[in-house]
Amino acid sequence: MERVFASGVAARLQNQRNRDDGLGQNHKAIKYLGQDYEALRNQCLQNGVLFSDDAFPALPSSLGFKELGPRTAKTQGVYWKRPTEICSNPEFIMHGATRTDICQGALGDCWLLAAIASLTLNDAVLHRVVPPGQSFHSQYAGIFHFQFWQFGEWVDVVVDDRLPVKDGKLLFVHSAEGGEFWSALLEKAYAKVNGCYEALSGGSTSEGFEDFTGGVTEMYELRKPPSDLYNIISKAVERGSLLGCSIDISSNLDMEAVTFKKLVKGHAYSLTGVHEVAYRGLPTKLVRIRNPWGEVEWTGAWSDNSSEWNRVDAADRDKLLKRSDDGEFWMSFSDFLQEFTRLEICNLTPDTLKCPNIRKWNTALYTGEWRRGSTAGGCRNFPATFWINPQFKVALKHSDSDEDPGCSFLVALMQKDRRKQRKEGKDMETIGFAIYDVPNEFLGQSGVHLKREFFLTHGSKARSEQFINLREVSSRFSLPPGEYIIVPSTFEPNCDGDFVLRVFSEKPADHEELDDEISADLPEEETLDESQIDAGFKNLFRQLAGPDLEISITELQTILNRIIGKHKDLKTDGFGKESCRSMINLMDKDGNGKLGLTEFHVLWEKIKTYLTVFRKFDLDKSGTMSSYEMRMALESAGFKLTNSLFQLIILRYSDPDMAVDFDNFVTCLIRLETMYKTFKHLDTDADGIVSFNFFQWISLTMFA
């Protein structure tokens, strides 16, 4: 367990250093699973072999786990072929990447394909995801690579080009021409990142948008659209933003049901263009929509064969209309608002769409975690634990303009890796966030984690529109200049999960994670002369210590377990030898590994104090400490700790139910005090920094 803690902390520190050096940006993407595209391709070319990816093998396990699991009807007869085995002259990209390259197969990932289709409208964005220069001809080695934004970092993902085939056709996404394979390989790389193909079934187009851009998505309910929505869409299209739309379903029976005018419910479409035409002398707003199935098109007004096109200018008709069953069609903006229910816009720069002047958002990104027993406090419905959630501060300094006194900002909370965990039976947690004013006494301060009392007596200033089991929850706000606390949480407490919190502000703003600064405010210990120690205590000591008048580790263990056994209100499985060794290491002044009278007296008084603290903060009188009781008790004993340190303490000192019994409580406090005093002793110039050679480091960590 010690080694796990140490390696985890070391890895976290190294990851932070790498991020500070730019690793994880698009131009310096992280090699997913450590696989280096250039090195692997060169190795295959030198050996004259085609790449086979052991990390995502051509096996049933890569297809799925339930409906696409091994030995299911949908995977019967599936085999894997390289494009060179499927057609005589395969191309990676033929005449440029276009929306018709993306036709849906036997997988419910229309949300992803709608995002890929929108990607083809912006070459600069496309080339960030699909690195150019890949081919089935020059330097072909059966290996390709793609880049995705994953929870704050860009990753470079390699795949081999073996694709699942059934009845002679690609099982999943394919191009209309049949000989173009970039979209099928992109889908495979995305399936690899998410664990398998089936993990891609069902989702929101915004998820694909964000993973292809690192941008931020805004949602619009088309039953109550803003008055300037057409302008917002027009500006988004001009800037290359990605847009998706869908029709809500009222029940599972509606899923992929086709309406009278051939729109598919519960299906993800891309919005790929806008145009205004003169129709019967009046300006008419149109939008262009694409169905990633590549067929099943709208048959209402402005569809491919509708009469409306006969009454517009011939130049407009020739420019806009392409009569083919390719899944792409025009419709009026008014019909769009009536037929569709949801629009998602992913801002690439990201820009504010509501402002006529293009301005970049000011952005901040934090990664965090909810851990059962330490930082997973649940929502505001759970006041006993809500305060232990991670907390983040945003300081909004400038209003948007003289006319608008508010400060616009967008908060987006995303949970990590939940799609990948579907194989394990896990699904999305229900997540959301609340925003609070920073209390006056803490304005301008760092190192403050607000406690339970604050949240019991203060209401939220704003909050996410709802707690929902989506990958990301985002909302736009406008608040007066000031300092605010954002508290992201799961709905229920004690739900493990990792998350990314992003804040996008209209004007420059300061952001930071709020956490207690590590400190120890310990009372001065009163060391008495032997003459000052009570005679009754001396007699007790002589009885306990034996002839040598010193207490060893074994004797201390016997003493403490005998005494603690008399306190029936405390739950404990007894003090172990390591706990007793820590106590002796703290109190042993002469270094002989035993405690004399005065040393034992100080320890005795310390344990009595710990017992008082334990009983005070065991609020439910369970005889153990819950995690939030433990955090309050540690602070009462003089220790302020960061969230990450508190997580380690709970992992180390709690039982499987996340409860800390009395012996572990004492051991924890003794260990904290030992480490604090050791550091203070070594920090001779009081600058908060000490240095060790390896011998000193190993001595300290082995015997502290």
Side-chain angles (χ1 to χ4, degrees):
M1 182 67 77
E2 292 276 7
R3 203 165 91 190
V4 172
F5 288 146
S7 62
V9 171
R12 189 177 298 179
L13 291 172
Q14 185 60 50
N15 286 340
Q16 184 59 52
R17 287 177 187 159
N18 291 338
R19 283 195 296 271
D20 292 342
D21 290 338
L23 188 66
Q25 297 178 21
N26 184 261
H27 69 278
K28 199 175 181 180
I30 294 167
K31 293 173 176 57
Y32 187 67
L33 302 180
Q35 292 176 301
D36 186 312
Y37 168 72
E38 294 289 348
L40 290 169
R41 186 181 65 164
N42 290 338
Q43 182 180 340
C44 290
L45 290 171
Q46 289 171 7
N47 295 333
V49 298
L50 295 179
F51 178 63
S52 293
D53 186 8
D54 293 336
F56 197 62
L59 294 173
S61 59
S62 296
L63 294 176
F65 50 90
K66 195 175 180 180
E67 290 186 12
L68 291 175
R71 295 179 296 279
T72 57
K74 288 187 178 181
T75 60
Q76 289 296 313
V78 170
Y79 50 100
W80 300 73
K81 279 190 170 186
R82 297 186 189 269
T84 51
E85 300 169 313
I86 297 173
C87 65
S88 59
N89 187 30
E91 295 285 351
F92 184 66
I93 294 180
M94 187 187 302
H95 310 304
T98 62
R99 301 180 297 283
T100 56
D101 297 344
I102 305 114
C103 300
Q104 190 172 358
L107 186 61
D109 61 348
C110 57
W111 61 274
L112 174 64
L113 307 191
I116 298 174
S118 294
L119 194 62
T120 64
L121 301 175
N122 187 318
D123 283 345
V125 176
L126 175 71
H127 292 155
R128 285 157 61 92
V129 178
V130 186
Q134 304 186 75
S135 166
F136 287 101
H137 307 292
S138 174
Q139 300 286 294
Y140 170 66
I143 183 172
F144 293 86
H145 71 129
F146 302 87
Q147 294 194 168
F148 305 119
W149 183 88
Q150 290 286 282
F151 314 111
E153 298 175 325
W154 284 89
V155 294
D156 190 88
V157 184
V158 305
V159 288
D160 64 35
D161 62 351
R162 295 176 294 178
L163 295 168
V165 172
K166 186 173 184 179
D167 299 327
K169 298 179 181 178
L170 287 180
L171 183 61
F172 302 126
V173 73
H174 53 279
S175 68
E177 293 83 359
E180 194 170 9
F181 292 92
W182 73 270
S183 58
L185 292 166
L186 172 61
E187 182 188 45
K188 180 175 182 179
Y190 200 65
K192 177 178 177 178
V193 163
N194 287 283
C196 63
Y197 277 97
E198 189 172 358
L200 305 183
S201 181
S204 166
T205 306
S206 62
E207 188 173 340
F209 285 169
E210 293 186 344
D211 286 353
F212 296 153
T213 67
V216 57
T217 300
E218 294 188 85
M219 301 273 199
Y220 291 94
E221 296 292 338
L222 299 180
R223 294 291 176 264
K224 44 182 180 180
S227 59
D228 59 343
L229 181 60
Y230 190 79
N231 289 334
I232 290 173
I233 293 172
S234 298
K235 289 179 182 179
V237 170
E238 287 172 9
R239 296 173 195 156
S241 298
L242 307 184
L243 297 90
C245 51
S246 59
I247 304 170
D248 285 351
I249 60 173
S250 54
S251 72
N252 287 334
L253 296 176
D254 270 351
M255 194 62 182
E256 297 195 347
V258 180
T259 69
F260 174 69
K261 294 182 180 178
K262 301 296 184 183
L263 294 176
V264 185
K265 294 183 178 181
H267 187 62
Y269 289 80
S270 327
L271 194 157
T272 60
V274 294
H275 199 81
E276 190 169 299
V277 297
Y279 175 66
R280 291 181 171 176
L282 296 174
T284 300
K285 296 179 174 66
L286 303 180
V287 294
R288 186 176 63 201
I289 309 294
R290 173 163 170 74
N291 179 352
W293 282 352
E295 50 190 29
V296 187
E297 294 185 12
W298 162 252
T299 58
W302 299 101
S303 60
D304 285 2
N305 297 305
S306 70
S307 60
E308 284 80 7
W309 289 106
N310 299 325
R311 302 196 180 190
V312 301
D313 183 79
D316 274 342
R317 183 171 62 247
D318 293 342
K319 175 183 174 183
L320 302 177
L321 187 57
K322 179 184 175 185
R323 288 192 171 100
S324 63
D325 194 19
D326 59 0
E328 192 161 67
F329 53 87
W330 290 93
M331 65 192 308
S332 71
F333 181 61
S334 57
D335 279 343
F336 171 70
L337 293 179
Q338 184 174 340
E339 298 289 342
F340 285 86
T341 51
R342 192 182 308 273
L343 172 70
E344 301 164 278
I345 302 178
C346 183
N347 306 297
L348 303 185
T349 34
D351 294 327
T352 171
L353 297 177
K354 294 189 174 180
C355 179
N357 300 316
I358 298 176
R359 303 175 189 162
K360 290 185 178 181
W361 290 97
N362 295 275
T363 65
L365 181 147
Y366 296 97
T367 58
E369 51 195 13
W370 297 297
R371 288 294 176 265
R372 178 172 174 258
S374 56
T375 55
C379 72
R380 296 169 303 148
N381 295 354
F382 303 90
T385 56
F386 177 69
W387 66 277
I388 69 174
N389 285 301
Q391 300 172 16
F392 301 85
K393 183 171 79 171
V394 55
L396 304 173
K397 298 180 178 180
H398 310 288
S399 57
D400 293 349
S401 65
D402 293 338
E403 296 77 27
D404 184 357
C407 303
S408 296
F409 66 108
L410 179 71
V411 179
L413 173 65
M414 178 185 293
Q415 51 188 321
K416 296 173 65 174
D417 297 323
R418 303 305 294 193
R419 192 175 287 279
K420 186 186 294 185
Q421 294 167 357
R422 282 185 179 178
K423 276 186 174 181
E424 304 162 23
K426 297 179 181 178
D427 211 332
M428 299 289 182
E429 294 290 352
T430 301
I431 62 171
F433 56 85
I435 302 175
Y436 294 81
D437 284 310
V438 172
N440 291 334
E441 62 270 27
F442 294 130
L443 287 173
Q445 293 186 33
S446 299
V448 176
H449 186 96
L450 297 177
K451 301 299 186 290
R452 178 186 180 190
E453 291 70 26
F454 170 80
F455 296 105
L456 288 175
T457 55
H458 293 77
S460 63
K461 190 76 173 180
R463 58 184 182 272
S464 53
E465 292 181 16
Q466 55 187 332
F467 273 74
I468 193 167
N469 58 340
L470 292 177
R471 186 176 82 152
E472 184 172 62
V473 174
S474 64
S475 296
R476 182 192 286 262
F477 305 98
S478 180
L479 294 176
E483 295 184 10
Y484 300 93
I485 302 293
I486 304 171
V487 185
S489 73
T490 56
F491 184 80
E492 296 281 346
N494 291 322
C495 296
D496 285 325
D498 298 316
F499 66 85
V500 171
L501 181 74
R502 296 186 287 168
V503 181
F504 302 80
S505 54
E506 177 78 22
K507 291 291 183 69
D510 293 333
H511 312 83
E512 64 177 311
E513 182 174 0
L514 283 184
D515 214 346
D516 287 327
E517 292 180 353
I518 302 172
S519 64
D521 182 16
L522 304 178
E524 289 292 328
E525 291 175 352
E526 185 181 11
T527 304
L528 304 178
D529 293 331
E530 289 194 16
S531 60
Q532 297 173 294
I533 296 176
D534 179 75
F537 187 87
K538 287 181 181 178
N539 289 332
L540 174 64
F541 177 77
R542 292 190 189 100
Q543 295 172 24
L544 298 172
D548 64 352
L549 294 181
E550 289 196 306
I551 292 179
S552 66
I553 292 172
T554 304
E555 289 168 333
L556 180 61
Q557 183 183 15
T558 302
I559 295 164
L560 293 178
N561 287 334
R562 188 178 298 164
I563 293 169
I564 205 68
K566 296 178 181 178
H567 294 270
K568 302 301 182 185
D569 61 322
L570 302 178
K571 290 187 178 177
T572 175
D573 52 7
F575 287 90
K577 284 191 175 180
E578 283 304 312
S579 301
C580 295
R581 190 188 310 280
S582 294
M583 296 182 204
I584 288 179
N585 286 343
L586 175 65
M587 308 309 309
D588 180 19
K589 304 299 183 187
D590 54 16
N592 68 349
K594 296 182 178 182
L595 298 182
L597 173 61
T598 56
E599 294 167 334
F600 181 68
H601 183 264
V602 174
L603 176 62
W604 187 256
E605 293 299 317
K606 195 181 296 293
I607 291 175
K608 284 165 60 179
T609 300
Y610 293 163
L611 179 58
T612 302
V613 171
F614 187 90
R615 283 181 165 146
K616 177 181 177 182
F617 289 96
D618 178 15
L619 301 177
D620 58 1
K621 305 305 175 189
S622 63
T624 61
M625 283 276 169
S626 67
S627 57
Y628 57 92
E629 291 171 341
M630 179 73 170
R631 188 152 189 169
M632 292 188 291
L634 289 175
E635 189 161 333
S636 175
F639 295 100
K640 285 191 174 181
L641 305 173
T642 62
N643 283 340
S644 57
L645 281 178
F646 185 65
Q647 283 179 24
L648 293 178
I649 282 174
I650 291 298
L651 285 171
R652 178 167 180 169
Y653 292 105
S654 66
D655 63 20
D657 294 326
M658 295 293 153
V660 181
D661 60 14
F662 182 68
D663 59 282
N664 276 315
F665 177 72
V666 172
T667 303
C668 174
L669 285 170
I670 291 288
R671 185 71 178 243
L672 283 172
E673 186 171 340
T674 301
M675 299 307 292
Y676 172 76
K677 288 185 172 179
T678 300
F679 186 90
K680 284 296 183 184
H681 178 72
L682 295 172
D683 185 14
T684 53
D685 55 1
D687 66 349
I689 299 173
V690 297
S691 59
F692 306 97
N693 60 35
F694 181 70
F695 172 76
Q696 292 168 328
W697 168 254
I698 204 74
S699 298
L700 176 64
T701 55
M702 289 296 292
F703 301 109

